Amino acid sequence: MAGFRNGRGRGDNPPQQQPQQQAPYGYNAPPPGYPQQQQYPQQQQWGQQQGGGRAAHGEPEYFGDPYAPHQQHPQQHYAANNPGHTQVFSVHDDPYGAGAPYEQAPAPVPTGPRLRWKALLSGIVLRPADTFLRMRDHAVWGPALVVTFLYGLLALFGFDQAREDAINATLSTAIPYVLLTGVGFVIGGLVLGAVTHTLARQLGGDGTWQPTVGLSMLIMSITDAPRLIFALFLGGENGLVQILGWLTWLAAGALLTVMVSRSHDLPWPKALGASAIQLVALLSLIKLGTL
């Protein structure tokens, strides 16, 4: 009777344990706790209400509490980080600005239509800043080549020795000599304008080469016209011609500086530096050649 009262004698088989339920898909089933780590329901409920220190199943708090009320979708959280599942990341737009960060800013658009040759030539003398800004994206090959060629034809007679040689020579000899001089001035203007454009780009300019070269040729020819007119009649050794030569050279430097500054968006010190080689060449070949 005592054996029946204490529960012995009803069978030698131990009590069967219920099979552990499989965690739903997307959950990581927690490992079974050791006997000393198991908690009573009251202790588990108290631990969930604390929300700090340690999360459930003995995990550190930086893993988060899977039973915390602020996580509304724990299944998505575990499913996205389990092996075999890929979490999708979205690429958002740049919050600090639109467009590519290294996209170069476009060059300024022309401020007006192309000027006719009369307005262009008069604008270089009367309104240089507005004219150069308006023509910064327009090629001026026609006026530049014609004016420079005519200037080269007359520039030969501005040199005393060259003028005497041309006058004393026969007509068949003088005509090719004069024409070759005009072509030489055109080629020299093209080379000097290209050098000015290259220096302007190396100093940070953003202009195109055709307007820069064409406008530099026009500036070279127009600014030396007053000296050349007086040199045809008075000779290059005349004092007035020499003074006009220095004044027109300074005017050429000012116009080249303004042109490079407007065409390449450069401050005037850099624009003057880009024009330095052309100015030195004009001084040594034309102005000093008449002294």
Side-chain angles (χ1 to χ4, degrees):
M1 295 298 290
F4 286 103
R5 290 179 182 176
N6 294 332
R8 294 191 300 266
R10 294 184 179 180
D12 296 334
N13 296 328
Q16 297 182 357
Q17 298 181 355
Q18 296 182 358
Q20 185 178 2
Q21 295 182 358
Q22 185 178 1
Y25 182 77
Y27 281 87
N28 286 332
Y34 293 97
Q36 61 270 20
Q37 294 181 350
Q38 294 182 357
Q39 299 177 345
Y40 293 99
Q42 293 81 358
Q43 297 178 352
Q44 294 179 358
Q45 183 178 2
W46 176 84
Q48 295 175 6
Q49 292 177 357
Q50 295 299 319
R54 287 184 175 271
H57 310 295
E59 295 179 351
E61 60 176 347
Y62 51 80
F63 284 103
D65 187 1
Y67 301 100
H70 65 275
Q71 296 183 359
Q72 299 179 0
H73 303 283
Q75 182 177 359
Q76 297 179 0
H77 173 73
Y78 284 102
N81 294 279
N82 280 340
H85 298 81
T86 303
Q87 186 173 0
V88 180
F89 296 92
S90 60
V91 179
H92 300 282
D93 296 334
D94 186 8
Y96 300 100
Y102 301 102
E103 184 178 357
Q104 189 175 10
V109 296
T111 57
R114 183 197 305 268
L115 294 175
R116 305 285 294 181
W117 68 273
K118 292 182 179 180
L120 175 62
L121 297 181
S122 61
I124 292 176
V125 178
L126 302 177
R127 301 172 302 275
D130 296 337
T131 301
F132 295 145
L133 181 61
R134 185 168 181 174
M135 298 298 293
R136 61 164 290 161
D137 292 329
H138 295 298
V140 291
W141 290 123
L145 295 177
V146 172
V147 172
T148 306
F149 180 73
L150 294 177
Y151 167 73
L153 296 179
L154 298 177
L156 176 64
F157 298 95
F159 301 95
D160 294 341
Q161 186 62 38
R163 180 176 58 183
E164 293 179 1
D165 295 341
I167 292 175
N168 297 329
T170 60
L171 187 61
S172 60
T173 305
I175 291 179
Y177 185 58
V178 173
L179 293 178
L180 288 176
T181 304
V183 174
F185 269 81
V186 171
I187 296 175
L190 290 172
V191 173
L192 293 177
V195 171
T196 300
H197 168 74
T198 302
L199 291 177
R201 292 302 294 258
Q202 291 180 355
L203 293 175
D206 57 357
T208 56
W209 72 277
Q210 297 186 37
T212 304
V213 175
L215 291 174
S216 66
M217 295 172 65
L218 288 175
I219 292 172
M220 178 188 69
S221 304
I222 292 175
T223 54
D224 196 46
R227 182 204 64 84
L228 183 59
I229 293 174
F230 284 90
L232 292 175
F233 300 99
L234 301 178
E237 298 295 335
N238 185 271
L240 178 61
V241 174
Q242 295 180 11
I243 294 175
L244 287 175
W246 285 103
L247 293 178
T248 54
W249 180 77
L250 294 176
L255 289 179
L256 284 174
T257 301
V258 175
M259 184 271 295
V260 175
S261 177
R262 293 296 186 273
S263 299
H264 288 267
D265 293 327
L266 289 176
W268 73 266
K270 291 185 176 181
L272 180 60
S275 308
I277 294 180
Q278 185 170 1
L279 289 174
V280 172
L282 293 178
L283 180 64
S284 60
L285 296 177
I286 298 177
K287 303 297 188 299
L288 295 181
T290 61
L291 294 179

